[in-house]
Amino acid sequence: MTMLSTLPKTETTAQERTRNTGAHLVVRTLEKLGVTRIFGYPGGAIMPVYDALTGSSLQHVLVRHEQAAAFAADAQARITGKAGVCLATSGPGATNLLTGIANAYMDSVPMVILTGQVPSGLMGTDAFQEVDVFGMTLPVVKHSIIIRDANRIPELIEEAFRIAEEGRPGPVLIDLPKDVLQAEAFPPSPGAPRPAAKPLLASTPLLDAATVLLAQARRPVLYIGGGVGLGGAIEPLRDFMARTGIPAVATLKGLGTPHPDALNFLGMLGMHGTRTANMAVNESDLLVCVGARFDDRATGKPDTFAPDARIIHIDGDPAEIGKLRWADVAMNCDIADALTRLDPGYLAIEDWRQTCAARLTAFAFDYDAPGSGIFAPALLKQLSEAAGDKFIAACDVGQHQMWVAQHCRFAQPSSHLTSAGLGAMGYGLPAGIGAAMERPDMKVVTITGDGSIMMNIQELATARRYGVPIRILLLDNGTLGLVRQWQEYFFEQNFSEIDLYDNPDFAEVARAFGVESFTVHSRDEVPGAIDRLLRSRGPILAHVLIDPRENVWPLVPPGASNADMMEN
Amino acid sequence: MSNTLNIEIFETEGALVRLIGLIERRGFVISSMAMSAPSNGSARVTVDVDARGGARQIDVLTRQIERLFDVHAVSRTPAAEALDFAAGLAPATASEWRAECPSQP
Ligand SMILES: Cc1ncc(C[n+]2csc(CCOP(=O)(O)OP(=O)(O)O)c2C)c(N)n1
């Protein structure tokens, strides 16, 4: 470092240099669009933007791995409904973002990703830290743009935000060659903002057709997906459920959409769904699918899914309709409008409602586990009840994720941040950070496993640096539990590479990062632990030891019908 | 059976690779392809496609293409009626259904 100090001082400081470069335009455009926080990590090609960031009103959150920047921006977006923003350099910075971009794509999360790129003249020459991030991300973006002309930066960034947020949301990537960032730019004054797209109203003949099917049905079921929340249709959906009394099931992303205390909500359907939900779908004669997409984790073997049901499919995205299941009445329209206007009046489904209600009681989860060990489902139920409507869960991936879905109560879909479509381990901690920074008034809890937390454990440093009010509940079973469960049942107990016996002491690790932590060994310590977690300002980590043999039930075996659920 | 898609794309960087990638990724094989010289900022791409197998449906592919931001129109032959609605559905519902699926940005 002595060498550096002997270098001649450069003539200008950052302040004196021109403030009219492409990089300044990037920063000013973000400010103008109302962005307040971005997550990123610097490097060569993106350095002009970092230079322009000093003195900006934007809060830049320095994560410790670009993947975490994408996950944190994703979580912020899920909570606000506005595009989250992440920033990385070319090459390795961009490749590290990839999992996070795919995650946002699979779960329809609005996000704008800014990547530095090698200078235009070097693009295509295998230059240092050059990767074709535009090409690499094509399958996992809603749209992408390489900006070639600094004067177009404001216009194209604004367009990226509009595309990311409108209709079915998704990630939009903007690749920024370094020479464009450094060029002086004098963009034309902005034109009039484009009027927002008008909602596509439901057609009256289709509403009539749907009403006829509803009136004929004896065993109707409402199948609710993430599209309802994305389409701003939570209240119309809750009202429709209350008005019609139709029994309802939800996908992983649909959880939190029905009112959590609605008596006709039967729980999650699919692989780890409730027995009541899967039985209802299996027996239904009419499935009203709203904002869901017949994903294989929800349907099991497709030709055995709701085999006797006619289908009403309501979705904002025309490309989802008819993709995996033919719809008898297909409505591509604004979900809120359809649900508000769909009014079948009195439905003669009292027997069906009672059958479903009786099953809800008969097949209710049993929280009385033998022994004195910690039973994760009971702990999670107590935790979510204690946090109440302020609860926001940021999950990782594995058994713990499914337990959260099964046993926690969500006031809103945005109370449940989970990597649903991609199932990406490593989501939980950065997502919790993004959520807690956005909503410090809520009780944000990252619920993670000993496998998953290691995928982004470096973000404890971010939590510590920014004093993030995050609570981390680490359910440590010393194994890759979900994989272990599959090996136990579908690979003849041939346990292969799932043993994490030599995990570090996670409470010690947290302390080394400067994060408060404690370990919970037995059931009688659980109430105190929940209390301490929720009272703490955070960051705080509770390291909870659980039995590796505990499994997630019920379970639909892969490739089986949802009717063939396995129970403990 | 082959279908021919006529796709109007904007002449923007990456539009063609995005289009072809989508067709292949969604389970279709391109058996022939032609592109007109761009004029007025857009170009016409004509492709013959066959489903690679499985239950891939051409009308779903058409709507997935329409969803792209650098595509402004898609049409196909044989036309939609012949293929999609032969399955014995209430015709009123089926034609309404098509009317409900306009090309959306
Ligand atoms: C990035 C990534 N790699 C691998 C997997 C496959 N996978 C799914 S669950 C799981 C085990 C997760 O273990 P842990 O975080 O300890 O949670 P547990 O199942 O024990 O609750 C694995 C390896 C994945 N989903 N994501």
Side-chain angles (χ1 to χ4, degrees), chain A residues 43-286:
Chain A
I46 198 71
M47 279 176 68
V49 173
Y50 277 84
D51 187 47
L53 268 175
T54 57
S56 157
S57 65
L58 293 173
Q59 180 189 20
H60 177 273
V61 178
L62 180 69
V63 294
R64 301 303 172 96
H65 186 300
E66 290 87 350
Q67 183 184 102
F71 283 155
D74 162 307
Q76 178 177 310
R78 288 185 205 226
I79 285 182
T80 61
K82 300 260 171 261
V85 182
C86 58
L87 183 65
T89 193
S90 67
T95 53
N96 273 352
L97 286 175
L98 201 57
T99 304
I101 301 172
N103 192 60
Y105 180 75
M106 297 291 280
D107 283 353
S108 305
V109 177
M111 187 151 103
V112 171
I113 303 106
L114 303 167
T115 47
Q117 183 54 278
V118 301
S120 310
L122 287 179
M123 285 172 75
T125 67
D126 308 314
F128 176 64
Q129 293 195 330
E130 179 188 5
V131 298
D132 172 14
V133 65
F134 182 92
M136 206 170 58
T137 55
L138 277 173
V140 292
V141 293
K142 186 173 174 190
H143 192 56
S144 42
I145 306 164
I146 302 174
I147 301 189
R148 299 283 186 177
D149 173 359
N151 289 316
R152 296 195 64 197
I153 285 174
E155 164 208 342
L156 292 175
I157 291 185
E158 282 179 35
E159 178 169 284
F161 274 79
R162 184 175 55 77
I163 293 173
E165 289 171 2
E166 88 178 5
R168 179 178 184 169
V172 178
L173 176 116
I174 299 182
D175 201 25
L176 298 159
K178 191 171 185 181
D179 55 317
V180 174
L181 290 173
Q182 288 174 317
E184 271 208 81
F186 300 96
S189 47
R194 243 207 243 205
K198 285 216 184 73
L200 190 59
L201 300 184
S203 95
T204 308
L206 284 181
L207 287 168
D208 292 346
T211 308
V212 171
L213 290 190
L214 280 164
Q216 290 168 352
R218 290 295 160 266
R219 296 180 306 281
V221 172
L222 197 58
Y223 158 36
I224 301 163
V228 178
L230 293 174
I234 297 170
E235 284 315 315
L237 182 280
R238 291 180 177 184
D239 180 61
F240 182 80
M241 275 180 69
R243 259 191 290 133
T244 61
I246 297 176
V249 302
T251 65
L252 186 61
K253 273 201 71 198
L255 294 175
T257 310
H259 194 288
D261 306 325
L263 294 175
N264 52 340
F265 178 52
L266 311 181
M268 184 167 76
L269 84 165
M271 182 171 275
H272 291 294
T274 66
R275 176 163 284 268
T276 309
N278 281 336
M279 286 175 81
V281 172
N282 190 52
E283 293 167 17
S284 70
D285 61 357
L286 176 67

Side-chain angles (χ1 to χ4, degrees), chain A residues 148 317-318 321 326 328 330, chain B residues 13 63 67 89 93 97 100:
Chain A
R148 299 283 186 177
D317 181 357
I321 291 182
W326 174 258
D328 297 88
Chain B
E13 183 169 5
R63 279 178 268 132
R67 219 164 46 165
L89 281 157
T93 313
W97 180 65
E100 282 292 295

Side-chain angles (χ1 to χ4, degrees), chain A residues 308-344:
Chain A
D308 304 321
R310 304 187 83 180
I311 308 286
I312 299 174
H313 194 166
I314 309 175
D315 204 295
D317 181 357
E320 284 306 338
I321 291 182
K323 184 176 80 176
L324 289 162
R325 177 80 180 245
W326 174 258
D328 297 88
V329 176
M331 300 167 81
N332 165 225
C333 60
D334 181 64
I335 294 177
D337 181 59
L339 289 174
T340 307
R341 289 165 55 209
L342 185 56
D343 187 7

Side-chain angles (χ1 to χ4, degrees), chain A residues 67 99 396-403 422-426 448-455 474-485 497-498 500 503 546 548 552:
Chain A
Q67 183 184 102
T99 304
D396 251 304
V397 172
Q399 293 180 311
H400 60 279
Q401 177 192 30
M402 292 299 111
W403 285 325
L422 191 65
M425 291 169 69
T448 182
D450 50 310
S452 292
I453 197 169
M454 290 289 252
M455 294 245 174
L474 167 55
L475 295 171
D476 181 355
N477 53 10
T479 179
L480 298 172
L482 200 61
V483 179
R484 183 191 183 283
Q485 180 169 357
E497 299 297 331
I498 42 96
L500 302 182
N503 272 326
I546 62 171
V552 185

